[in-house]
Amino acid sequence: MGTQTLEASFERITVNDDYDDLYNPSAYHKSKGSLSTAMTLTGLATSTSAGNRMKLPLQKLQSTTTTTSTITKVHLPSQVAQHNRDQSSSAASRPSDDPSALTHVRSSIPQQPSSPKLFHLGMFEIGKPLGKGKFGRVYLAKHRSSGFICALKVLHKSELQMGKVEKQVRREIEIQSNLAHPNILRLYGHFHDAKRIFLILEFAGKGELYKHLRKEVRFPEWKAAQYIAQMAAALKYLHKKHVMHRDIKPENILVGIHGEIKISDFGWSVHAPNNRRKTMCGTLDYLPPEMIKPTGNDSFYSEKVDLWSLGVLTYEFLCGEAPFEDEPLKTQKRIVRCEMTVPGYVSAEAKDLIKKLLVVDPEKRISLEDVERHPWIIKHCVKGERATNRSAELAKMMRKSGDK
Ligand code: ATP
Ligand code: MG
């Protein structure tokens, strides 16, 4: 079987969400998502990015017998999933394709009843550690029977309970497993045993975008524009599904083997209709004004929060630091007033896009459609092009022609 077929056969597996059984409902803690928690999480993500400091409990992991692993029901491929797979595998080679057709097909064909299939730890060969988050340890893994390479995220139930993030993880699983877009990290399935939850994730071969940015200090405009175009495509897809991410920042973006970006970390994401909440989340630097401002009654915000973050991201890609970076109190003040200056070395087009995204009034921010049509994006992105260095390619071509 070719790799393509293996990947395809793996992709069409849909997992029954039996996460409800994981905890005694009375043990649920209401996750408040306080700002301090968000900041701790960020701090951790940042420090993790500095390097892989994992001491691997590999033996322990592998010694778990399959009999003690709890199993999760998996539906065999339905017509819908089949279609899905075809769509997503072809879309994978065209990053900026709009997979909205997929959503339509999904909802119009009823799911077929199918025989259950099981996932458990024994089905995976565990490889090198890829990283460590506050709650999760992530390993490279191979699905033994298909050879499919993935990332296995291991979460300890006791740690989730102590951190009062069960609800957040549950939401992350529910939301992410329903998303299929080339610029969003896939969650293929999950299973659990007595102590741990395992998330079967798409493997992002080039790791964290945050690390790339720190190494390069600033991205050249062509690269930043291509990343932002991919972000816009992914956000358009999310918003169409009424999901807002709410925690867009370089630490939550991974890079695929072809240099394409993959949004991950849906721990703070929510379904948009449920948007009357005071929850403060995200790092301070990326928080939009409407999530900081005390508006008298309930803080009300929409998926437009992600547009603000996209503006902050554009700025950080081009300048190497977030636009409102300061002491926490000053950052808040500067955000609500949108006090920032774009350095002179940034092109006029890029500056224009930043200014159209970083608008205090959420309703007046540029739409994702207009981001995709913006002159700065058009200038640097041929539709469907990945973040490849065109000038480097050009130089290579020129060398080649020079050899002749
Ligand atoms: P937090 O606990 O704040 O969410 P985090 O996002 O860093 O932190 P994880 O999502 O558990 O935590 O991931 C830990 C690290 O493992 C990541 O920072 C990344 O370097 C690596 N990693 C995670 N998922 C993948 C993946 N699918 N492919 C490649 N590397 C990954
Ligand atoms: Mg994370």
Side-chain angles (χ1 to χ4, degrees):
M1 242 200 288
T3 339
Q4 190 61 37
T5 335
L6 289 172
E7 173 159 352
S9 67
F10 201 79
E11 277 209 17
R12 65 187 178 217
I13 295 170
T14 337
V15 178
N16 238 7
D17 199 336
D18 65 347
Y19 195 74
D20 274 329
D21 306 336
L22 292 188
Y23 303 103
N24 173 348
S26 62
Y28 273 119
H29 298 274
K30 200 171 159 32
S31 165
K32 288 219 202 73
S34 70
L35 190 57
S36 61
T37 318
M39 286 173 73
T40 322
L41 288 169
T42 315
L44 228 139
T46 312
S47 63
T48 322
S49 313
N52 198 333
R53 296 169 281 99
M54 285 208 53
K55 291 278 171 290
L56 230 198
L58 257 188
Q59 260 75 355
K60 203 176 133 206
L61 232 173
Q62 284 181 312
S63 69
T64 311
T65 59
T66 53
T67 41
T68 58
S69 299
T70 316
I71 39 191
T72 303
K73 273 183 221 144
V74 177
H75 291 299
L76 281 174
S78 65
Q79 237 176 303
V80 180
Q82 194 100 18
H83 180 90
N84 241 348
R85 176 207 56 189
D86 294 338
Q87 288 276 319
S88 56
S89 57
S90 63
S93 55
R94 284 175 280 120
S96 58
D97 265 10
D98 187 346
S100 55
L102 189 149
T103 321
H104 171 72
V105 175
R106 247 194 196 168
S107 51
S108 60
I109 305 175
Q111 283 279 346
Q112 292 172 354
S114 49
S115 49
K117 210 180 164 188
L118 314 166
F119 266 138
H120 57 75
L121 192 55
M123 287 176 163
F124 297 89
E125 199 176 303
I126 309 296
K128 67 165 184 175
L130 294 171
K132 186 180 184 305
K134 190 172 186 204
F135 301 99
R137 277 143 227 138
V138 185
Y139 305 89
L140 187 64
K142 186 162 92 181
H143 184 241
R144 290 181 199 275
S145 62
S146 66
F148 186 80
I149 299 292
C150 56
L152 206 62
K153 185 165 171 173
V154 187
L155 300 156
H156 285 260
K157 290 178 186 178
S158 58
E159 286 174 26
L160 299 181
Q161 263 162 359
M162 286 209 301
K164 300 184 178 175
V165 290
E166 304 110 297
K167 199 177 159 187
Q168 209 173 304
V169 171
R170 191 188 146 91
R171 188 192 279 157
E172 189 168 356
I173 294 175
E174 275 166 7
I175 292 181
Q176 208 173 345
S177 53
N178 281 302
L179 303 173
H181 187 278
N183 299 118
I184 296 172
L185 194 79
R186 283 290 299 269
L187 173 60
Y188 297 111
H190 66 278
F191 55 95
H192 61 102
D193 64 15
K195 291 193 171 139
R196 299 161 298 184
I197 298 169
F198 300 88
L199 307 187
I200 310 164
L201 292 163
E202 174 182 5
F203 170 55
K206 288 190 178 161
E208 292 168 45
L209 184 65
Y210 180 83
K211 274 190 197 163
H212 292 273
L213 182 58
R214 287 297 165 263
K215 202 173 137 200
E216 293 183 43
V217 185
R218 298 196 287 257
F219 290 142
E221 297 226 354
W222 64 267
K223 196 188 267 188
Q226 289 181 19
Y227 284 157
I228 294 302
Q230 292 171 45
M231 285 297 301
L235 288 175
K236 224 166 92 176
Y237 171 81
L238 285 180
H239 293 176
K240 218 171 258 169
K241 288 189 154 258
H242 307 289
V243 171
M244 43 181 167
H245 188 281
R246 306 197 303 175
D247 200 13
I248 298 293
K249 56 185 176 190
E251 293 90 325
N252 288 338
I253 301 170
L254 294 170
V255 185
I257 199 70
H258 304 293
E260 76 283 21
I261 58 169
K262 309 264 176 198
I263 303 182
S264 74
D265 237 310
F266 283 78
W268 287 109
S269 64
V270 282
H271 283 282
N274 198 8
N275 57 8
R276 282 165 74 87
R277 51 185 73 237
K278 280 179 174 160
T279 329
M280 291 282 257
C281 59
T283 73
L284 214 46
D285 280 323
Y286 277 74
L287 270 188
E290 65 269 31
M291 283 171 76
I292 292 178
K293 264 190 205 159
T295 49
N297 43 20
D298 271 358
S299 297
F300 182 92
Y301 56 83
S302 67
E303 73 282 353
K304 303 246 186 301
V305 294
D306 292 333
L307 290 171
W308 176 276
S309 310
L310 191 63
V312 179
L313 198 67
T314 311
Y315 186 107
E316 183 161 353
F317 282 174
L318 293 169
C319 308
E321 56 180 36
F324 309 104
E325 253 182 68
D326 216 320
E327 296 154 33
L329 261 177
K330 281 189 187 162
T331 295
Q332 287 199 39
K333 268 192 187 153
R334 287 180 53 192
I335 291 172
V336 297
R337 294 176 193 153
C338 194
E339 277 172 24
M340 56 106 201
T341 40
V342 183
Y345 56 76
V346 173
S347 72
E349 294 104 322
K351 191 173 169 178
D352 181 75
L353 179 61
I354 292 169
K355 296 230 154 154
K356 283 177 173 152
L357 284 163
L358 295 180
V359 175
V360 174
D361 182 351
E363 296 308 315
K364 294 199 174 122
R365 285 171 205 156
I366 186 173
S367 69
L368 288 168
E369 286 76 14
D370 287 341
V371 170
E372 289 183 322
R373 287 193 283 258
H374 189 274
W376 183 61
I377 299 292
I378 301 281
K379 183 176 168 184
H380 295 286
C381 308
V382 176
K383 192 170 160 52
E385 190 183 49
R386 291 193 191 101
T388 48
N389 189 342
R390 280 200 269 159
S391 49
E393 274 171 11
L394 206 66
K396 209 162 96 188
M397 270 164 54
M398 278 158 65
R399 269 200 309 277
K400 261 191 192 162
S401 60
D403 289 346
K404 280 178 199 160

